[in-house]
Amino acid sequence: MKSEFLLQIKELKATIDNKEILKGLNLEVKPGEIHAIMGPNGSGKSTLANVLTGRDIATVTHGSVTFEGKDLLVMSPEERAREGIFLSFQYPIEIPGVSMVNFMKTAINEQRKHRGLEPLSASEFLRQMREKKELVEIDSALTNRSVNEGFSGGEKKKNEIFQMAMLEPRLALLDETDSGLDIDALRIVANGVNKIRRTDTSVIVITHYQRLLDYIVPDYVHVMYDGRIVRTAGPELALELEERGYDWIRKEADVNEETWTTDRK
Amino acid sequence: MDYRPEVINKLSEIYSGSHGTFLKNSPEIFNRHRETAYKEFLRLGIPDRKNEAYKYTNLEKSFGYPYQVYYSPVPQDFREAEKFHCEVEDLDVWNMVLLNGFFPRGEEGLVMLPGGIWVGSMKAAAKQFPGLVEKHYNKYVQGENDGLVPLNTAMASDGLFLYAPKNTAYTKPIQIVNLLHSDQDIFAQDRNLVVVEDRAQLSLLVCDHAISPQHFLTNTVTEVYVGQNSRFEIIRVQNQHNNSGKITHTFIHQERDSYASSNNITLHGGLVRNATWHMLNGENSETHSYGLYLADKQQHIANFVKVDHAAPNCNSTQLFKGVLDENSSGAFNGRIMVHKIAQGTNAYQSNNNILLSDAARMDTKPQLEIYADDVKCSHGATVGQLDNNALFYLRSRGIDAREAKLMLMFGFAHDVIKNIPIEALRERIDNLVQKRLRGELSRCASCAIQCN
């Protein structure tokens, strides 16, 4: 039976260098939903993104992650991408000598092959490139260069959203996509995400700040602390965090640790 | 046991025994420098690993082999050479095929190309432009204590001559295809001279191909004079087989306001050592040394570069990259010497290597000697594996691990390839490197030799 959830994370625990970072995390995302994950530094937000995309720096020790009912944790990073998971990197990597065009063409055709489709024709590929470039307002010259090489911080983030537009994922993870962006770039990036999204595309926004959520309005806001989601509410929670900071969450979570775990069961 | 005394004995026998033949067949100017050079060679010998510039390069594999023919090709070989056809599509060049470093029609006169540039053999040049050859021949060689340079001067009998007189330019590159073809094992030494006078321009492409499976060793010396406000480019594409040894010494001497670049692309070869010497002798000049090498099996590829900043306000770049697999080894020795007079120097050096196996080995050694105060110098060397972050980035977009690795290696190599000034060749090299890295065909299809 097909799950009603696009992504289902149950009691996920993960370690980095034998230190437990995720300590029993639960999250369920339905198609088309937008979830924001907020939380102080070191709460495990980026580790979650790493675990979901298959980066081998973290080791999963417990729990399960399913994507459209399939076990995500047994898949290689490239398989996850072909299934429709996309990560917008917090720090996009510069790859000298690899052209954007070649990179995108290879990525798209690998994905099409996975879905049993023929490779895109050169003209169709270029048409899509043009269309998506306009969508995210990325400078045409940038896509003629090597991947992220010499791009400014803002251009790198736009380039992530451009790639997302090209690959049309089912689930987009935006890992601090707002960091290092001025307000104009932030608006362009956020609008890009909104324009790309189909009604069944799900988004997980990982962020410290409320401001991105003015543009990408979440259905749920989760607060992560010490490797777990300690509070879930609507968009108003983000505003409250903006105002009050995270300290009250910390105190509450430390006090409630025992009862909280029991409650969830 | 030291293999060298025996080899030096044999070379000496040839030198003395065929002295008459040398003298008869060579330009008079060559003969005039022989005796001094020969004594110099005997003094220095064949470099071994005690020589700092050869510390990581063992020449025994190539120099210790008993070659049958030491200097001169036989006429019937030339017929084969003339059949050769360069495979690079859309390569718009003026083309000439040499055999083992010799001109098929060496006695004939020089050819004048449109724009007023002369090309031909040294023999013909010595007759037609004696004053010019006299002025430049054996003037730019350095080599410190490298015996192979005087060995070439002592024993070479011909080579390529290229001459761009003042204010001349030829729009196309000049391509010299140097074929190694023989039914005997050959040790060949060619001696080349390029003169680019003031306000002239010249672009030279040298392709080395081995087209028969014999053992070959070539020891090439090329002197280049780049006059004021002139421009010179040299690109070498080295595609030989595992039984071939290729030693090149290129001396580029630049006067003021000049530009020179050198590209050494080594795709294949048993033992390859390219020494490129850049002498910035006039103010406000610019020089670039690029190199890319791909090695596997037991191959060894060495690059030695020396840039002499002997005048103020000059810029220089050294960019060398290598991918080494299996039991191959590589060496990079890059020197920058900034003389006291050379204020306002900008010198940059970089050598990056990727090792694909545990057995592959790379030795890299930058050497900077700076005697001026107003100098910007940077250098960096890396030996490592592929960048894991970049690998993950590509995979996270759906590209499989093998393809992602190839893309990264290819990107790494392209960083050097993109500096090749001829577009059709750049595409061709991109293509050859891709095939080579994929482990597919690693040579031009016309190559009959299977190295495996």
Side-chain angles (χ1 to χ4, degrees):
Chain A
M1 199 191 78
K2 204 170 169 180
S3 163
E4 64 168 313
F5 297 107
L6 179 68
L7 179 75
Q8 207 167 13
I9 304 174
K10 285 182 187 164
E11 287 301 319
L12 182 67
K13 294 183 184 175
T15 58
I16 295 179
D17 296 333
N18 292 321
K19 186 171 185 286
E20 190 162 71
I21 309 290
L22 298 182
K23 302 179 177 175
L25 184 137
N26 293 286
L27 181 67
E28 287 170 339
V29 179
K30 289 183 189 162
E33 284 180 350
I34 298 183
H35 291 244
I37 297 180
M38 303 182 76
N41 281 331
S43 56
K45 303 190 298 295
S46 286
T47 303
L48 176 62
N50 284 329
V51 167
L52 292 179
T53 49
R55 194 173 205 167
D56 56 11
I57 49 180
T59 312
V60 174
T61 52
H62 181 80
S64 68
V65 181
T66 54
F67 186 71
E68 292 190 300
K70 295 177 204 162
D71 183 358
L72 192 68
L73 297 177
V74 299
M75 296 183 202
S76 67
E78 52 268 36
E79 283 170 326
R80 299 177 198 211
R82 291 172 202 159
E83 289 287 334
I85 290 183
F86 180 89
L87 171 66
S88 170
F89 282 65
Q90 185 179 359
Y91 303 110
I93 313 291
E94 296 195 19
I95 311 183
V98 176
S99 74
M100 271 304 296
V101 172
N102 190 25
F103 169 49
M104 274 291 97
K105 200 190 282 173
T106 311
I108 284 200
N109 286 333
E110 290 273 348
Q111 194 186 56
R112 290 178 66 88
K113 193 164 78 188
H114 181 71
R115 294 174 187 168
L117 300 169
E118 290 291 305
L120 275 188
S121 71
S123 62
E124 177 55 23
F125 173 74
L126 290 174
R127 193 191 62 72
Q128 283 199 19
M129 287 273 286
R130 224 174 12 247
E131 191 188 302
K132 304 288 161 74
K133 269 192 279 197
E134 281 171 24
L135 213 65
V136 297
E137 300 176 43
I138 194 169
D139 185 352
S140 227
L142 291 181
T143 53
N144 292 329
R145 303 229 298 255
S146 293
V147 179
N148 292 322
E149 192 186 23
F151 288 26
S152 72
E155 286 164 348
K156 281 181 184 166
K157 295 296 172 83
K158 274 195 215 173
N159 192 22
E160 295 293 291
I161 304 307
F162 166 70
Q163 293 170 43
M164 176 181 161
M166 291 296 288
L167 294 166
E168 299 182 336
R170 304 284 329 274
L171 172 68
L173 298 161
L174 309 183
D175 188 5
E176 303 205 15
T177 297
D178 51 343
S179 67
L181 290 187
D182 62 38
I183 195 73
D184 292 326
L186 182 76
R187 201 180 53 238
I188 291 169
V189 163
N191 287 342
V193 173
N194 289 329
K195 280 187 256 178
I196 293 157
R197 266 188 76 212
R198 293 184 316 227
T199 48
D200 63 341
T201 309
S202 306
V203 182
I204 296 176
V205 184
I206 295 172
T207 182
H208 280 286
Y209 307 104
Q210 195 271 332
R211 59 178 197 162
L212 181 63
L213 305 179
D214 284 342
Y215 299 95
I216 304 174
V217 181
D219 300 299
Y220 301 97
V221 174
H222 310 276
V223 180
M224 246 183 110
Y225 175 66
D226 196 23
R228 270 189 294 250
I229 287 175
V230 294
R231 183 176 277 252
T232 296
E236 69 282 356
L237 178 57
L239 291 167
E240 196 179 351
L241 290 169
E242 185 82 352
E243 211 149 284
R244 297 177 61 190
Y246 288 109
D247 274 354
W248 61 283
I249 296 274
R250 280 196 190 103
K251 283 179 196 132
E252 218 175 86
D254 290 340
V255 172
N256 294 343
E257 190 167 351
E258 288 295 309
T259 46
W260 183 83
T261 346
T262 346
D263 283 351
R264 286 291 286 208
K265 285 177 185 164
Chain B
M1 206 188 86
D2 193 351
Y3 73 100
R4 296 177 302 161
E6 199 185 322
V7 176
I8 290 169
N9 266 340
K10 191 158 181 193
L11 288 168
S12 298
E13 272 168 35
I14 293 162
Y15 181 79
S16 330
S18 2
H19 207 59
T21 329
F22 273 133
L23 298 176
K24 199 164 75 149
N25 286 332
S26 306
E28 191 268 332
I29 175 103
F30 277 38
N31 294 337
R32 234 185 297 148
H33 289 267
R34 273 188 212 293
E35 197 57 29
T36 318
Y38 173 63
K39 283 184 186 139
E40 184 68 357
F41 167 67
L42 289 183
R43 188 177 71 80
L44 295 170
I46 296 168
D48 68 358
R49 297 172 83 158
K50 283 186 215 112
N51 184 323
E52 196 60 30
Y54 285 83
K55 193 171 174 187
Y56 306 109
T57 300
N58 186 352
L59 295 173
E60 180 167 2
K61 184 170 130 188
S62 279
F63 278 83
Y65 189 83
Y67 299 93
Q68 292 154 297
V69 179
Y70 273 83
Y71 61 97
S72 169
V74 287
Q76 58 263 33
D77 292 337
F78 289 125
R79 264 170 252 137
E80 204 54 43
E82 283 172 1
K83 288 185 210 153
F84 181 84
H85 172 70
C86 178
E87 285 188 347
V88 182
E89 283 171 30
D90 304 321
L91 187 62
D92 190 14
V93 293
W94 186 88
N95 166 290
M96 185 177 245
V97 177
L98 270 62
L99 188 68
N100 309 334
F102 291 85
F103 281 79
R105 295 173 298 275
E107 298 298 329
E108 287 175 27
L110 302 173
V111 183
M112 190 175 85
L113 305 180
I117 284 166
W118 294 90
V119 56
S121 68
M122 284 299 291
K123 266 182 207 171
K127 284 181 196 148
Q128 207 164 330
F129 296 107
L132 184 82
V133 173
E134 174 88 42
K135 187 178 163 195
H136 296 288
Y137 180 80
N138 214 30
K139 291 294 188 297
Y140 311 116
V141 293
Q142 303 177 51
E144 292 164 1
N145 48 5
D146 185 343
L148 300 184
V149 178
L151 175 64
N152 175 286
T153 310
M155 294 182 78
S157 59
D158 203 357
L160 170 75
F161 173 74
L162 260 175
Y163 173 39
K166 276 182 188 166
N167 301 313
T168 58
Y170 183 44
T171 49
K172 297 180 187 181
I174 293 164
Q175 182 193 25
I176 304 296
V177 178
N178 192 14
L179 296 182
L180 288 173
H181 175 86
S182 174
D183 49 12
Q184 291 175 298
D185 298 320
I186 287 184
F187 175 23
Q189 304 200 65
D190 52 326
R191 179 58 173 256
N192 314 299
L193 176 64
V194 180
V195 177
V196 186
E197 286 185 343
D198 298 352
R199 298 173 301 282
Q201 272 190 42
L202 198 65
S203 179
L204 172 64
L205 165 62
V206 183
C207 302
D208 289 305
H209 290 281
I211 55 169
S212 62
Q214 275 67 28
H215 281 76
F216 293 110
L217 172 60
T218 42
N219 178 38
T220 299
V221 172
T222 305
E223 290 179 273
V224 183
Y225 171 83
V226 188
Q228 290 182 18
N229 214 350
S230 62
R231 185 180 177 94
F232 171 74
E233 292 160 350
I234 181 169
I235 306 120
R236 285 179 200 280
V237 181
Q238 297 171 322
N239 210 7
Q240 305 190 358
H241 59 64
N242 291 347
N243 287 335
S244 69
K246 177 87 195 168
I247 313 289
T248 72
H249 315 265
T250 307
F251 301 94
I252 303 173
H253 177 97
Q254 289 179 244
E255 293 299 345
R256 61 177 300 155
D257 301 314
S258 65
Y259 173 99
S261 79
S262 157
N263 259 285
N264 288 323
I265 310 289
T266 310
L267 298 174
H268 217 116
L271 175 80
V272 179
R273 183 180 189 273
N274 294 312
T276 315
W277 303 72
H278 301 251
M279 172 59 78
L280 291 160
N281 195 51
E283 205 170 335
N284 205 21
S285 293
E286 189 179 330
T287 202
H288 303 279
S289 218
Y290 302 111
L292 172 68
Y293 39 96
L294 309 176
D296 55 20
K297 304 202 174 64
Q298 307 288 334
Q299 297 170 6
H300 177 81
I301 298 170
N303 276 285
F304 173 95
V305 185
K306 184 170 182 199
V307 176
D308 263 284
H309 280 264
N313 302 316
C314 293
N315 294 332
S316 69
T317 310
Q318 299 175 40
L319 175 64
F320 284 76
K321 287 191 163 194
V323 180
L324 299 128
D325 200 356
E326 296 176 312
N327 293 304
S328 66
S329 58
F332 176 77
N333 190 326
R335 298 186 186 174
I336 299 171
M337 161 83 116
V338 181
H339 298 232
K340 202 170 176 192
I341 189 180
Q343 301 297 349
T345 288
N346 265 311
Y348 167 86
Q349 181 193 90
S350 170
N351 174 236
N352 309 107
N353 303 280
I354 292 177
L355 302 183
L356 295 178
S357 74
D358 290 342
R361 183 185 166 84
M362 180 73 206
D363 290 289
T364 175
K365 189 174 180 197
Q367 281 173 282
L368 277 66
E369 272 183 78
I370 301 172
Y371 299 102
D373 327 307
D374 177 16
V375 172
K376 274 189 201 138
C377 251
S378 68
H379 67 95
T382 58
V383 179
Q385 280 81 39
L386 292 170
D387 176 2
N388 269 326
N389 291 328
L391 201 57
F392 178 73
Y393 191 75
L394 295 176
R395 294 178 72 191
S396 80
R397 300 306 186 236
I399 298 168
D400 75 47
R402 185 185 127 85
E403 189 63 31
K405 276 182 192 161
L406 284 167
M407 282 176 89
L408 289 183
M409 276 193 280
F410 182 61
F412 175 83
H414 185 75
D415 209 28
V416 175
I417 298 171
K418 72 179 181 198
N419 297 300
I420 296 175
I422 307 164
E423 193 187 345
L425 182 69
R426 203 161 52 229
E427 282 167 16
R428 172 67 175 179
I429 300 295
D430 267 343
N431 199 315
L432 278 176
V433 167
Q434 243 173 21
K435 281 185 174 170
R436 178 87 161 84
L437 292 175
R438 278 178 195 282
E440 294 167 13
L441 176 86
S442 57
R443 293 158 294 279
C444 295
S446 62
C447 173
I449 303 138
Q450 298 303 315
C451 295
N452 299 328

